[in-house]
Structures are given as structure tokens and as C-alpha cells.
Amino acid sequence: MTRTEALKPISFDQMTGWAADDHAAALRAFQLSAQEIQEAGSGFRRASSFGGERQDWLPICAAALHAGNARNFFETWFLPLKVHDTARPAGLFTGYYEPELRGSMTLSKDYPVPVYERPPELVAFTDAEARATHLSYGRHVNGKAVPFFSRHDIENGALAGRGLELLYVSSWVDAFFLHVQGSGRVILPDGKVVRLSYAAKNGRGYTGIGSLLLKRGIGTPETMSMQFLRAWMLQHPEQALELLWSNDSFVFFRETQVSDPALGAIGAAKVNLTPLRSLAVDRTIWAFGTPLFVDTHEPPEAEQGAAPFRHLMIAQDTGTAIRGTIRGDVYWGWGANAERNAGHMKSPGGMVALLPKALARRWAP
């Protein structure tokens, strides 16, 4: 499928749920991206299929920061394009959230598991080194590019005692789900909350441990969820640790300050995430800041069941498992409801991309 075949013009009136959406909430999320694009535009340092160039977005970003009527702003500055994908016509929308963990700034028997900041020797490889190692990141040993420590190495002390520990949490299971989500809130014994955001990965390949359980005949594709996985790991702690070590990927974090408590941690787009408005996407396809109208449904386990989920969302994050044109990970926020909905969400659906008019006409004349 060519790029022009993937996007087909559609009118706003043809978009089910568009008129009923909270456009002001979408605009507030977009304004965070607009400010970042104006100041740095870090997301445009990597090319994307439909993102265009930073200059395609600058006039829109300037207008967004002074916009009054939110719906009028989006309908004035963007053209809607229905997204098609022959590889996955039905699309797939999953969810993620910001877990809340109990932790401590000091090591103890109750909090034995470290959360690490990025080690200074973890570096991006040159093109030649990447070709030689088949990895984008790693470390140098005696001047030679080699893979960074694996999860097994790190969880068995490869980085211990170097002062890289940000804080400590109660279990490897909690730490693992923090890694999966990429951000979290750690509640300390005195009630203080430390906000953690993604800093880097070790560069090793990611292996989904849910799929490994399925291969072992544990669970089914229908029952497999974050909640199922957590329950199994807690019931089988020794097997769980061995399972975790099957996934070489390891995530490093940084502490972040969030001035607005209604916002989440900072996503890959360098802006704070907004619950139900921030979407993790395949960044090789969509530029950070792209408004995407998602038409799917909540998981059956949600409070109101599998209710329609039709929201204008902003591409503000990404993830290892987020690959494809109609593929998104909905940021649900934090708390019990967010954990439940994010953990169970595996919904088919459609997507309409809102692109700057000149850019839209380039892909769908």
C-alpha cells in the first residue's frame, strides 16, 4: 500500500462522534505539543511517513496557543483523512497507565528492588556499530561496541553500588510493570510522591512475556491481560523471575517535576501526557503532535462495559509494541480505574488523521 492509498479524504460531518467530543480537552493537549514544537520540535528529528517537516506545523502551533473555539480551530487548520491499513484493516487499540507503587529512597527488606537512572556508559551507536551489533544502543569495552547489560545481568547486580539507584520498590513484579508502562508514581513512606518518567532502554530486544506464557499453554489470547499476568507472577514467584529474564530489555528512569497534578508524566514527545487525550503511536508513521480521531470501544471490563470510545487524541508517546498505521496505545492516566481499563483494553477500531491542509493534500490530493 502506497502512502496515498493509506489516507483518504473524509469530511468532519462524516466522522461518527466528532460533534459530541470534547474538543477543548483535545486542544489543551495539543497546545502542550504546539509549545514543544515551537521551542524545539524534537519529534521532527526523526522522519515519519506522514509527519512532514516541522515548518509544516509552525503556523498551526502559533494559532493553537491563542485559539478560542476549539472545534473551529481543528476544522479550520486541518483536513481529516481516513486511515486504511491492508495489513491490519480492523486496527488495534490497547491502553497504558501510570502505575502507583510503594517505595523508599533507601534500601531495606521491605523495599529491596532498585529503580535505576540511565548509566552514563549507555550510548547510541554509530551507523557502523549498529550494523555490526544489530543494536542501536550499547556500551564500549576496550573501544569495541558491545551490547549493554541484559535484564538478567542488571537484576543480578551488574549496576549495583554505583549510585545509579533513584529509589527502591517492593518487588521485581512491581518494577517490571513500571518498565512496561514507562512512567509511574512512587509513594514514599512519608506520603511524598515521586514522579518517574522514561529515560532510556538498554538497547536489547523486547520479548513480551505474555506471549511466552501462551506458548507454555498458560492462559488464552482472550484471557491474557496485565491483570492475568500480574496474578500469575505473584502466584509463581520463582517462575516469574525466570520469565522476566526471558525479556532482555530493561528501562531506566528519571525523576520529573509535574506542576499540574491533572497531567501525567512526560512522554516521548517531551510533553506531559493528558489522560484520554494522549496516544502512543508508531513514530515512524506519525509525527508527535499529530491529532488522531480514534473510533473504538472501551474494554468489556470497564465500568460502563464496552462503551464507544470516540476521542480526538494527540500523538505524544510511542512504545516498542506500537507498530502499524492504525495502532495506538491510549493513555488512561492513573489510579484503579485507569489500571483496570488499560490492562484489559485490546479493541479494534478506526482512525482519522488530522493533518495540516498543505500536508494533507500532498498525501491525499
Side-chain angles (χ1 to χ4, degrees):
M1 174 178 285
T2 65
R3 287 192 285 190
T4 54
E5 290 173 330
L7 302 178
K8 298 296 182 182
I10 188 174
S11 71
F12 285 104
D13 291 340
Q14 292 174 299
M15 295 163 55
T16 303
W18 170 257
D21 194 21
D22 184 353
H23 303 92
L27 177 59
R28 287 191 293 272
F30 180 75
Q31 286 170 333
L32 297 176
S33 285
Q35 186 171 355
E36 193 284 331
I37 291 171
Q38 280 191 321
E39 294 175 355
S42 55
F44 290 95
R45 294 171 190 163
R46 183 183 299 183
S48 58
S49 298
F50 302 114
E53 304 293 335
R54 181 184 174 211
Q55 55 264 29
D56 295 321
W57 294 82
L58 289 176
I60 295 175
C61 292
L65 298 178
H66 304 285
N69 184 294
R71 179 176 174 181
N72 183 66
F73 164 76
F74 286 112
E75 292 184 354
T76 298
W77 286 92
F78 294 95
L79 287 180
L81 301 171
K82 179 73 174 176
V83 183
H84 298 270
D85 186 350
T86 54
R88 183 183 277 161
L92 176 64
F93 295 93
T94 51
Y96 70 117
Y97 74 108
E98 198 171 346
E100 294 180 321
L101 303 83
R102 295 286 174 176
S104 172
M105 301 304 293
T106 57
L107 177 66
S108 69
K109 63 180 180 61
D110 294 324
Y111 302 106
V113 179
V115 175
Y116 288 108
E117 66 181 2
R118 178 176 181 159
E121 71 271 24
L122 174 60
V123 296
F125 284 156
T126 65
D127 291 343
E129 290 172 334
R131 287 192 296 270
T133 61
H134 302 289
L135 297 170
S136 298
Y137 293 86
R139 61 194 178 109
H140 292 108
V141 175
N142 297 324
K144 181 181 179 181
V146 299
F148 200 77
F149 299 115
S150 68
R151 173 177 293 275
H152 176 273
D153 297 331
I154 295 170
E155 293 184 355
N156 282 278
L159 299 177
R162 294 180 47 192
L164 298 171
E165 298 86 356
L166 288 170
L167 46 75
Y168 301 85
V169 296
S170 58
S171 73
W172 287 114
V173 174
D174 284 346
F176 174 74
F177 283 101
L178 175 66
H179 288 207
V180 171
Q181 302 304 318
S183 65
R185 299 169 176 235
V186 181
I187 304 171
L188 303 181
D190 62 1
K192 178 186 175 183
V193 177
V194 177
R195 305 288 294 276
L196 297 178
S197 292
Y198 171 91
K201 289 184 180 179
N202 62 346
R204 298 268 194 153
Y206 178 85
T207 301
I209 60 176
S211 62
L212 295 180
L213 283 185
L214 291 175
K215 290 178 181 178
R216 299 178 187 183
I218 301 171
T220 66
E222 293 74 27
T223 61
M224 185 59 65
S225 67
M226 184 185 66
Q227 286 81 358
F228 178 96
L229 190 56
R230 178 185 285 275
W232 184 89
M233 294 172 78
L234 292 175
Q235 292 166 9
H236 305 84
E238 292 186 4
Q239 291 174 265
L241 198 55
E242 176 266 331
L243 187 70
L244 289 176
W245 291 342
S246 299
N247 175 32
D248 284 339
S249 179
F250 193 90
V251 177
F252 302 102
F253 293 88
R254 57 190 175 91
E255 182 177 351
T256 57
Q257 303 298 322
V258 180
S259 57
D260 185 346
L263 295 176
I266 296 175
K270 313 299 184 187
V271 301
N272 292 100
L273 302 175
T274 302
L276 303 182
R277 294 294 164 178
S278 294
L279 190 70
V281 298
D282 186 337
R283 67 177 302 184
T284 67
I285 297 173
W286 305 110
F288 287 146
T290 302
L292 298 163
F293 187 76
V294 171
D295 184 356
T296 182
H297 59 79
E298 298 185 12
E301 295 82 1
E303 186 174 358
Q304 310 215 355
F309 183 100
R310 297 184 178 111
H311 290 308
L312 180 59
M313 308 191 72
I314 312 301
Q316 293 178 324
D317 210 356
T318 191
T320 305
I322 313 304
R323 293 290 179 267
T325 310
I326 314 176
R327 178 70 175 94
D329 211 20
V330 174
Y331 176 66
W332 283 89
W334 51 90
N337 287 341
E339 180 177 357
R340 178 194 63 216
N341 293 350
H344 287 290
M345 189 174 188
K346 292 181 289 187
S347 305
M351 195 162 71
V352 175
L354 273 59
L355 295 184
K357 288 184 173 180
L359 189 59
R361 293 187 180 109
R362 190 183 312 166
W363 301 135

